[in-house]
Amino acid sequence: MSNVNSLYRCILKNGLQRYKFKNSEVRPSDYQEKPGKKGVSFVFRSKEQMTKARGFIVTSEEAIQENKETLSHWTPNVYSWGGYVDSERKHVMGFFEENLMQINTYVIDIDCSKERVSSNDILLAGMDLGVTPTLIIESPNGYQAYFVLEQPSFVSKVNEFKSLRTNKAIARSLKLAFSTKIEGVDFGCNPFGIFRFPNEKNIVFYEPENVFDFKMLMTWSMKVSDDHQQAQQEHYMEQFKTSDFKQTQTSWFRSLLNQTDIRGGKGVLGRNSAVFTASLACYSSELDQDACVELMTEFNDSLAYPLSGRELRKTVRSAYSGRYKGASAQYIDLLDEQWGSGDMRAESANKGVWYKFAKPRNKRQKSHYSEWRTDLIQLIEQKATKQQGFIQMTRKELIKALEIPESSLKDLLRLIKEDGYVTTKTKPGRNGYTRLWTVRSIVLSLLNERKSAYLKDKEALISKIPMIQDILGKETDQVVNKEKLEAQILKEIVNTS
């Protein structure tokens, strides 16, 4: 691969020095290093050495180039510093998240069977999702896909490493999105850790122009996260309706019954609310009402300021009246804020059943932007011809096809320009139209062009078979098997195309 040398610079984003500080053999005498902090990368010569942290530290692109033939693994993202554990300088240290200086690329590790998933499958998945990888490396157990940023994202300690958390969220969105298209995405792999070192033997795809704007990728990530949360909510809601999940088995329920200082008061949820919420959990868990009274009595007796027995039984009866399905997430959170230790809120956040569920789309009057976007992409890719790769419709036709209000369509077309996956061209006026492409529809159109040209050449060659048959027959004075000859020529066409 002729541009493999430029690949390292594309990924490292000036995070390392250009040349070695000492003993450089290629640094021009008048060269001045660009200003800005420089960091380090950790490199290893084999997987076995990597698992034992037996490697070395490089501080320059020149050192990467010098060692590229013998490296097996590296950290493509740059760290602030690196050191050695031992005096012999064989075991490295420093590759932990808080030591990251700049994030240059997100990497997805895909453990899969090569017979089931190919690099082309990864590329097509990227086209569908609007995030085609910059680089794909083949590994013994699958692939590693690099998504290189146009400009590095710098990591700082501000707001408890907020920038790092944002980058981790983007990396997770990439994994979530690709896991819906292909199998084998490794969610346990650190996206900013140690990966295979790219070289001429293991690179199966590299497009240096295909780099990502951080803000655009962050916007894309938020949409993926919203869609995933919506899908999770619908899944958990269905699960809650059909499974034997019990609210009484949750940590918030146990935490609530362990509180002893709950009191009443103006502006706060007190003893009645606590007993009522806990009783609703018992009711939704199909606990017998008498058993609930017994449990609530035990809880009430533990309070510093208990309810009267009459008030407690009245509250339990109300919870078992059938007017309610279970404990409310809103009341759980408020009780935790006022009396809890944090366990209740933790449970609320971790159990999808406690979300305030968004209604399914068919039960809502309004659709979300992400849903309109999906509808539009499906419309384009279903109706775009392979010859043109786009659709052309009037504004009224789009409104009717998408069943979208005109004002929402205007917002959609405005916002989708920032998306990167859909391209639009609008002609105003009486005979105006809107022309729309997607990355996938364009690529499929280009592939179709190449296929058409190939088939045309093949037909021209096949048309010459009778003439070739006659020539061979005359030269050899033998009967030529036309079918066998045609199959052989077709085989040669395929092998050389």
Side-chain angles (χ1 to χ4, degrees), residues 56-75:
F56 60 100
I57 299 163
V58 295
T59 60
S60 67
E61 295 176 17
E62 181 183 351
I64 293 283
Q65 294 285 354
E66 280 185 356
N67 292 277
K68 65 182 181 181
E69 300 297 333
T70 60
L71 298 180
S72 68
H73 292 76
W74 72 329
T75 56

Side-chain angles (χ1 to χ4, degrees), residues 87-100:
S87 58
E88 296 180 354
R89 297 167 66 87
K90 291 183 178 179
H91 296 85
V92 294
M93 64 176 182
F95 43 91
F96 52 90
E97 286 185 346
E98 289 76 10
N99 188 35
L100 279 164

Side-chain angles (χ1 to χ4, degrees), residues 193-396:
I194 302 169
F195 296 97
R196 293 266 168 188
F197 184 79
N199 56 48
E200 292 183 354
K201 294 180 180 179
N202 62 17
I203 295 174
V204 293
F205 174 81
Y206 173 46
E207 177 47 66
E209 299 298 321
N210 190 35
V211 290
F212 297 88
D213 176 76
F214 178 78
K215 290 185 177 179
M216 189 194 80
L217 202 55
M218 185 167 62
T219 301
W220 175 87
S221 170
M222 292 169 68
K223 292 173 188 171
V224 171
S225 180
D226 287 345
D227 291 345
H228 177 68
Q229 187 177 14
Q230 176 73 16
Q232 269 195 323
Q233 288 177 349
E234 292 174 1
H235 167 73
Y236 281 127
M237 176 60 84
E238 190 62 30
Q239 187 182 53
F240 180 62
K241 291 177 180 177
T242 59
S243 74
D244 58 355
F245 178 84
K246 298 184 184 302
Q247 292 188 331
T248 52
Q249 296 174 351
T250 59
S251 62
W252 72 260
F253 182 78
R254 294 190 296 271
S255 177
L256 178 60
L257 296 191
N258 283 327
Q259 306 306 316
T260 59
D261 60 345
I262 300 177
R263 301 179 300 277
K266 187 176 181 180
V268 298
L269 297 182
R271 300 162 298 176
N272 286 79
S273 295
V275 171
F276 183 65
T277 300
S279 298
L280 283 172
C282 293
Y283 171 72
S284 70
S285 302
E286 299 180 351
L287 189 69
D288 182 76
Q289 185 172 339
D290 290 337
C292 177
V293 171
E294 185 177 341
L295 181 61
M296 291 303 105
T297 299
E298 184 179 343
F299 166 56
N300 188 52
D301 290 343
S302 71
L303 296 176
Y305 302 94
L307 293 169
S308 67
R310 183 172 175 231
E311 185 67 21
L312 182 137
R313 288 188 292 273
K314 178 183 176 183
T315 303
V316 173
R317 280 199 304 272
S318 178
Y320 275 73
S321 65
R323 296 194 300 257
Y324 313 95
K325 293 183 178 180
S328 163
Q330 180 183 2
Y331 275 83
I332 295 167
D333 287 345
L334 287 172
L335 284 166
D336 181 60
E337 286 179 7
Q338 293 163 6
W339 309 110
S341 58
D343 292 339
M344 295 185 229
R345 290 181 67 82
E347 183 73 20
S348 300
N350 292 331
K351 289 290 183 182
V353 68
W354 301 127
Y355 283 124
K356 180 181 179 183
F357 291 98
K359 292 181 180 179
R361 189 180 184 186
N362 58 6
K363 296 182 180 179
R364 284 187 271 117
Q365 292 183 348
K366 296 182 179 180
S367 291
H368 300 303
Y369 164 76
S370 60
E371 293 168 336
W372 291 130
R373 176 183 180 275
T374 300
D375 291 345
L376 181 60
I377 289 173
Q378 289 177 349
L379 177 68
I380 297 169
E381 295 181 349
Q382 286 173 1
K383 293 188 174 295
T385 63
K386 290 183 179 179
Q387 288 74 28
Q388 293 180 319
F390 63 85
I391 64 169
Q392 181 171 305
M393 304 177 73
T394 65
R395 187 68 63 97
K396 288 184 178 179

Side-chain angles (χ1 to χ4, degrees), residues 151-165:
Q151 297 295 330
S153 174
F154 294 97
V155 178
S156 71
K157 296 180 181 179
V158 176
N159 293 329
E160 298 181 347
F161 291 95
K162 180 181 178 181
S163 58
L164 179 59
R165 295 198 305 272

Side-chain angles (χ1 to χ4, degrees), residues 10-115:
C10 172
I11 293 175
L12 291 168
K13 304 294 177 192
N14 296 314
L16 307 184
Q17 297 181 69
R18 181 75 177 275
Y19 302 103
K20 293 192 294 185
F21 183 71
K22 293 181 179 180
N23 305 318
S24 173
E25 297 181 359
V26 295
R27 182 177 58 203
S29 58
D30 59 345
Y31 178 78
Q32 294 291 327
E33 190 68 53
K34 291 182 179 180
K37 183 180 177 182
K38 303 299 178 182
V40 304
S41 180
F42 300 91
V43 295
F44 307 87
R45 298 200 189 277
S46 70
K47 186 172 183 179
E48 292 72 26
Q49 291 185 2
M50 183 267 291
T51 57
K52 299 176 183 177
R54 191 181 176 95
F56 60 100
I57 299 163
V58 295
T59 60
S60 67
E61 295 176 17
E62 181 183 351
I64 293 283
Q65 294 285 354
E66 280 185 356
N67 292 277
K68 65 182 181 181
E69 300 297 333
T70 60
L71 298 180
S72 68
H73 292 76
W74 72 329
T75 56
N77 294 298
V78 177
Y79 290 77
S80 295
W81 59 269
Y84 293 93
V85 177
D86 55 329
S87 58
E88 296 180 354
R89 297 167 66 87
K90 291 183 178 179
H91 296 85
V92 294
M93 64 176 182
F95 43 91
F96 52 90
E97 286 185 346
E98 289 76 10
N99 188 35
L100 279 164
M101 185 185 86
Q102 66 182 52
I103 292 171
N104 307 318
T105 179
Y106 310 98
V107 184
I108 295 179
D109 191 38
I110 302 168
D111 293 326
C112 61
S113 164
K114 305 276 179 64
E115 296 176 355

